[in-house]
Amino acid sequence: MKILGLSCSPRKSGNTVILLEEALSGAQQEGAETELFSVPGKDIRPCDGCWACHQTGKCHIEDDMQPLYAKMVESDGIIFGTPVYYYSMTGQAKVILDRMIALEGRLANKVGGLIIVAGSVGIITPAKDIYFTMIMKKMVPANLVGVYGFGKGDVREMKRGIQAAHNLGREMVQIAAKKFEYPAEFARSFFAYGTHTH
Ligand SMILES: Cc1cc2nc3c(=O)[nH]c(=O)nc-3n(C[C@H](O)[C@H](O)[C@H](O)COP(=O)(O)O)c2cc1C
């Protein structure tokens, strides 16, 4: 059982990382192997919309998203973590979600957890956007942990938030152990039906 934590904060060892580490320690407690992938220092470029991945199953951009793709595919569950930036997720988080298009079908049945840190306001918009993406990927959603903290390390004071992050990690493993599988027969459509769609 492998659980991957993905921090989309550009701030090294900030609040998002602290909460993800706590979640991963919860996952370890349940017997999982864990890994944290954090974006600072990584070269992850935006999707260029070439659609080549639909033919090749692979993104042509050779950057640090390539090892992240491999880690995502190997994992049984992924905990996405992002701070709120301008009432939404960080740019880094959005770039990674966009690039996940190249994993078409390969995230199905993996458990998806979510940790969002806000200085003051804005947790709901990124929560909805990231959960929606998980649903489109046929992932199995676990809990959302929202915690308030502004300065680096502030979330350490939020004892209930730390506990909730720990429990999220445990829940990830327990959900994954149920080995839920969506029926493969039904595609999940990205588009509303219209004359230009197929
Ligand atoms: C560019 C920028 C925009 C931000 N926008 C918001 C916001 O809209 N709402 C909010 O509650 N906090 C906002 N924040 C505060 C961060 O969410 C907060 O500092 C958080 O703890 C950062 O998490 P980290 O330590 O993991 O980087 C913003 C911070 C930055 C740098």
Side-chain angles (χ1 to χ4, degrees), residues 7-19 81-88 90 117-123 147-155:
S7 173
C8 298
S9 168
R11 189 150 74 169
K12 215 173 173 183
S13 313
N15 295 318
T16 308
V17 167
I18 292 166
L19 291 163
T82 181
V84 177
Y85 270 23
Y86 282 100
Y87 318 104
S88 187
T90 59
V117 184
S120 58
V121 69
I123 282 174
V147 183
Y148 290 100
F150 186 79
K152 209 170 174 177
D154 278 358
V155 292

Side-chain angles (χ1 to χ4, degrees), residues 54-75:
H54 265 208
Q55 310 302 324
T56 63
K58 191 179 176 302
C59 179
H60 75 97
I61 304 173
E62 290 297 335
D63 61 4
D64 292 326
M65 192 65 201
Q66 297 297 343
L68 180 55
Y69 282 138
K71 292 178 201 302
M72 285 178 160
V73 170
E74 282 166 17
S75 72

Side-chain angles (χ1 to χ4, degrees), residues 141-175:
N143 199 19
L144 159 69
V145 176
V147 183
Y148 290 100
F150 186 79
K152 209 170 174 177
D154 278 358
V155 292
R156 288 190 207 281
E157 306 305 315
M158 307 299 287
K159 298 295 177 209
R160 286 195 301 162
I162 297 280
Q163 184 62 52
H166 189 86
N167 288 344
L168 169 62
R170 294 187 54 215
E171 185 197 16
M172 297 284 299
V173 178
Q174 293 196 18
I175 294 174

Side-chain angles (χ1 to χ4, degrees), residues 96-107:
I96 289 172
L97 293 191
D98 289 349
R99 293 283 299 279
M100 278 161 45
I101 193 148
L103 291 180
E104 189 66 21
R106 278 171 284 170
L107 294 176

